[in-house]
């Protein structure tokens, strides 16, 4: 058993329309606050890059301004996110599909009294839905959409991607114990503690 006397430090903030918590074990309060501030800024950077409801996010600007058939250059973060989404879409034969943005907005789930759209409304949008409309070019960090009107919805993978980016930074800082909760999306590092002593026992996140 490895005895680790480092303390746990926490930061909480609102992002992705939910409450986010990050807890890390660190030997220095000053260093912990620096790392947690960086983690929060990373989480906000992902939100500001991927949000479909913020018209100024990189994802929204791309969807509103791309020209069908022409390469559109994007940041490494957005490219990595699209690459992961397309990989999952292909692996699931389209059961997971990031191009349903217009359909999600049509359903208007965030309205006080949302109503299901009719078949005609849905059928009008279906030509622009389908991950096959997206082609990626890794060397140039660019994307091509082959038709007009493709709108991306990052909701199914956005928080998980944000967790991945934050955890990557925690690794860079050498953090070995952490618990992250982004609106019920959980990620843990290291083993849990018993009476303040670090052990290799696994975390239990649900029964």
């Amino acid at each position: 058993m490895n005895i680790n006397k480092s303390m746990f430090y926490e930061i909480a903030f609102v992002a992705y329309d939910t409450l986010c918590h990050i807890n890390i074990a660190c030997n220095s309060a000053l260093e912990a606050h620096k790392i947690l501030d960086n983690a929060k800024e990373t989480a906000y950077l992902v939100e500001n890059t991927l949000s479909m409801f913020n018209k100024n996010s990189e994802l929204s600007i791309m969807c509103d301004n791309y020209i069908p058939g022409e390469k559109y250059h994007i940041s490494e973060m957005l490219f990595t996110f699209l690459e992961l989404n397309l990989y999952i879409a292909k692996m699931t034969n389209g059961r997971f599909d990031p191009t349903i943005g217009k359909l999600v907005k049509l359903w208007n789930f965030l309205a006080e009294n949302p109503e299901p759209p009719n078949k005609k409304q849905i059928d009008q949008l279906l030509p622009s839905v389908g991950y096959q409309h997206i082609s990626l070019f890794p060397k140039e960090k660019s994307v091509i959409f082959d038709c007009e009107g493709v709108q991306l919805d990052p909701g199914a993978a956005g928080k998980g991607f944000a967790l991945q980016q934050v955890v990557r930074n925690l690794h860079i800082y050498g953090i070995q114990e952490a618990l992250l909760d982004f609106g019920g999306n959980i990620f843990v590092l290291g083993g849990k503690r018993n009476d303040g002593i670090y052990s290799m026992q696994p975390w239990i996140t649900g029964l």
Side-chain angles (χ1 to χ4, degrees):
M1 179 178 293
N2 178 32
I3 298 178
N4 188 329
K5 296 182 179 180
S6 60
M7 300 289 292
F8 260 94
Y9 299 88
E10 178 184 10
I11 192 169
F13 54 93
V14 175
Y16 322 104
D17 294 319
T18 192
L19 186 60
C20 301
H21 291 271
I22 303 174
N23 295 266
I24 63 171
C26 191
N27 293 319
S28 164
L30 184 63
E31 182 70 8
H33 291 310
K34 172 185 173 183
I35 295 170
L36 289 171
D37 284 341
N38 176 271
K40 181 177 73 171
E41 290 306 311
T42 300
Y44 282 146
L45 175 60
V46 175
E47 181 180 34
N48 292 332
T49 300
L50 302 181
S51 174
M52 66 181 286
F53 296 106
N54 177 2
K55 66 178 181 179
N56 295 316
S57 74
E58 184 182 3
L59 181 143
S60 293
I61 292 173
M62 175 188 68
C63 290
D64 290 341
N65 291 279
Y66 76 83
I67 298 174
E70 295 189 10
K71 289 183 178 179
Y72 188 99
H73 294 276
I74 55 180
S75 69
E76 183 172 355
M77 177 176 286
L78 180 54
F79 185 91
T80 300
F81 181 74
L82 292 181
E83 195 172 42
L84 289 170
N85 275 255
L86 288 185
Y87 172 77
I88 298 171
K90 292 174 183 177
M91 290 292 291
T92 60
N93 292 318
R95 290 177 176 83
F96 173 93
D97 195 321
T99 66
I100 60 171
K102 278 192 172 181
L103 291 174
V104 171
K105 290 180 178 179
L106 181 63
W107 252 269
N108 197 16
F109 294 110
L110 298 180
E112 186 172 343
N113 296 300
E115 294 184 5
N118 59 51
K119 186 178 184 302
K120 181 179 179 181
Q121 291 174 303
I122 296 172
D123 288 343
Q124 288 176 340
L125 300 182
L126 288 180
S128 62
V129 174
Y131 71 92
Q132 298 89 347
H133 294 306
I134 305 175
S135 297
L136 297 178
F137 299 86
K139 289 184 178 180
E140 301 165 334
K141 293 295 184 290
S142 62
V143 56
I144 286 181
F145 297 89
D146 66 5
C147 68
E148 295 182 352
V150 177
Q151 292 286 318
L152 303 181
D153 174 15
K159 294 187 186 73
F161 182 77
L163 283 170
Q164 181 187 62
Q165 299 303 302
V166 171
V167 169
R168 183 183 66 177
N169 282 8
L170 294 181
H171 280 302
I172 292 173
Y173 280 106
I175 297 300
Q176 297 181 5
E177 296 175 73
L179 172 61
L180 301 87
D181 178 357
F182 285 12
N185 294 266
I186 307 293
F187 197 104
V188 296
L189 287 176
K192 69 177 182 178
R193 292 187 177 214
N194 290 319
D195 297 326
I197 299 176
Y198 175 75
S199 70
M200 291 306 294
Q201 297 182 28
W203 292 84
I204 299 176
T205 58
L207 296 174

